[in-house]
Amino acid sequence: MEAKLDIKTVGVVGCGLMGSGIAEIAAKSGFDVVVREVDAGALEAGEKRIRKSLDKAVEKEKLSAEDRDAAWSRLSFTTEVPGLAGCDIVIEAIVESLEAKNELFTELDGLCGEGTIFASNTSSLTITDMAAATQRPDRFVGLHFFNPVPVMKLVEVVRTIATSGETFDRAFAFAKALGKVPIAAKDNSGFVVNLLLVPYMLDAIRQLERGVASVEDIDTGMQLGCGYPMGPFVLCDFVGIDTLYRISEIMFEEYREERYAPPPLLKRIVTMGRFGRKSGKGFYDWSGDKPVALPV
Ligand code: CAA
Ligand code: NAD
């Protein structure tokens, strides 16, 4: 028999694409959730994203209005890091930067109780690089969710050489309590899925640079030819072009293998502020009913 899960209050730091999804599923699963964002504007945008997703679930009859209201009442929002002090687990989903993440975890380390687990949703950094900056490397794991969080069933639960067995088991049980299917992964950059998925997305950009076909035709090719749910460029826009660029830089720095290197076109698109679906433009323009491919 599995031990009773002793996690009640969940902290989620960052309420962008991923943090909003993580906060939503945690609240829907019955946990009290404290969400932290950098400022009032970002917090309000994150709050709206969660509310819209919950309302949509009610509209689609996947969630009752009572369950939505109950989930909403379990969520609280703050711009203050000390607001997370009482959490049993804190899941970080902020920008993909080791410096920013370590600044956050160092502050949290001085605020949270001994029993609090720290978890990062990083795509490409190693958990070791964050855990080593705290006084609790034994209570530090990776919890890597997939986008869109409410839909994708997988969570990679990542242990470093310092993660205690008890912490890993608690994190694994917690992922199950969120209704997800956890898999155990070692702490290498890219864990399991991104090791394979990131080179695929970058390769699609390289083929585009070589002029193999258009954005739409490459997407249609992979969707209809391989049965993938979306083509690689729609996927890049889903993930976020800025995030993909950071992931690529981090993985290339780690492995020094060309397949992880950011293609120049990726950098150009980031420079132009086309961050993907979240900003309205990436490989596609997302402002209308249907995405329209943009010049590259
Ligand atoms: N929130 C909640 N539900 C959502 C949703 C969201 N953001 N987006 C879609 N859905 C739901 C829809 O409501 C719909 O539900 P019903 O079938 O019950 O009506 C269902 O998902 C399917 O959606 P659609 O019919 O609108 O569209 P679709 O069939 O194309 O599915 C998709 C959408 C689930 C996103 C699908 O296209 C897909 O699986 N795409 C691939 C996603 C993927 O590869 N994610 C991994 C990204 S990489 C990553 O996350 C790791 C990293 O570190 C970068
Ligand atoms: P995003 O840009 O949508 O959101 C990041 C949010 O973090 C922003 O709202 C920003 O204001 C906030 N933030 C930045 N610093 C903060 C701080 N110190 N405290 C609180 N909030 C802060 O990014 P995202 O796509 O949600 O990615 C977040 C993390 O999840 C990254 O590490 C990314 O690699 C990882 N991830 C992303 C995906 C994806 O498909 N986008 C999938 C899995 C994992």
Side-chain angles (χ1 to χ4, degrees):
M1 203 178 84
E2 279 182 31
K4 200 167 163 279
L5 188 64
D6 57 352
I7 293 173
K8 290 197 166 39
T9 307
V10 178
V12 177
V13 196
C15 197
L17 273 181
M18 297 302 291
S20 59
I22 297 166
E24 177 188 335
I25 59 159
K28 281 199 292 200
S29 304
F31 295 96
D32 291 323
V33 185
V34 183
V35 178
R36 193 257 164 167
E37 256 294 350
V38 274
D39 55 38
L43 194 64
E44 199 190 332
E47 243 183 284
K48 275 192 183 149
R49 200 175 290 116
I50 298 175
R51 183 71 207 189
K52 194 172 158 196
S53 183
L54 285 170
D55 287 346
K56 205 162 175 195
V58 173
E59 229 174 79
K60 290 193 133 192
E61 297 183 348
K62 287 184 186 169
L63 187 72
S64 70
E66 295 74 47
D67 286 348
R68 173 201 54 199
D69 296 344
W72 189 249
S73 72
R74 285 191 281 269
L75 283 154
S76 61
F77 296 89
T78 181
T79 53
E80 306 296 324
V81 179
L84 299 159
C87 296
D88 301 310
I89 187 167
V90 177
I91 306 170
E92 166 277 313
I94 69 170
V95 62
E96 187 74 337
S97 145
L98 183 61
E99 201 187 352
K101 289 182 194 290
N102 278 353
E103 191 184 316
L104 171 76
F105 280 123
T106 307
E107 187 176 358
L108 281 172
D109 208 18
L111 291 167
C112 293
E114 288 281 301
T116 305
I117 295 177
F118 286 179
S120 173
N121 181 50
T122 182
S123 302
S124 53
L125 293 163
T126 67
I127 302 305
T128 306
D129 276 340
M130 288 170 261
T134 69
Q135 302 301 313
R136 65 181 78 209
D138 54 325
R139 282 152 287 153
F140 211 124
V141 287
L143 276 180
H144 186 221
F145 293 82
F146 290 81
N147 181 16
V149 179
V151 185
M152 307 309 279
K153 293 296 281 184
L154 188 73
V155 175
E156 293 174 315
V157 185
V158 186
R159 71 191 315 161
T160 72
I161 54 172
T163 306
S164 73
E166 188 201 343
T167 300
F168 182 82
D169 291 347
R170 286 175 77 199
F172 205 84
F174 172 65
K176 279 189 184 169
L178 294 177
K180 298 297 181 193
V181 177
I183 58 169
K186 281 193 186 166
D187 185 33
N188 52 268
S189 172
F191 311 133
V192 176
V193 173
N194 282 346
L195 268 183
L196 298 171
L197 185 65
V198 171
Y200 160 70
M201 289 194 279
L202 299 177
D203 226 15
I205 301 171
R206 277 190 267 275
Q207 300 317 321
L208 183 66
E209 286 176 331
R210 289 179 56 207
V212 161
S214 67
V215 165
E216 298 105 312
D217 283 352
I218 294 175
D219 271 352
T220 304
M222 294 312 291
Q223 233 189 325
L224 302 188
C226 298
Y228 287 12
M230 50 175 58
F233 297 109
V234 170
L235 184 59
C236 290
D237 275 2
F238 254 67
V239 166
I241 307 294
D242 53 336
T243 302
L244 180 62
Y245 178 62
R246 283 172 180 272
I247 292 172
S248 171
E249 291 238 272
I250 291 163
M251 291 183 80
F252 182 64
E253 173 72 21
E254 179 78 2
Y255 297 113
R256 308 288 167 121
E257 287 177 31
E258 210 176 325
R259 62 199 170 131
Y260 298 111
L265 176 61
L266 179 62
K267 196 172 180 183
R268 299 292 99 75
I269 294 177
V270 173
T271 307
M272 291 312 288
R274 283 162 45 180
F275 294 162
R277 207 168 77 129
K278 65 184 172 189
S279 74
K281 281 182 184 164
F283 284 99
Y284 290 90
D285 182 340
W286 292 90
S287 58
D289 288 343
K290 279 189 173 172
V292 177
L294 287 167
V296 282

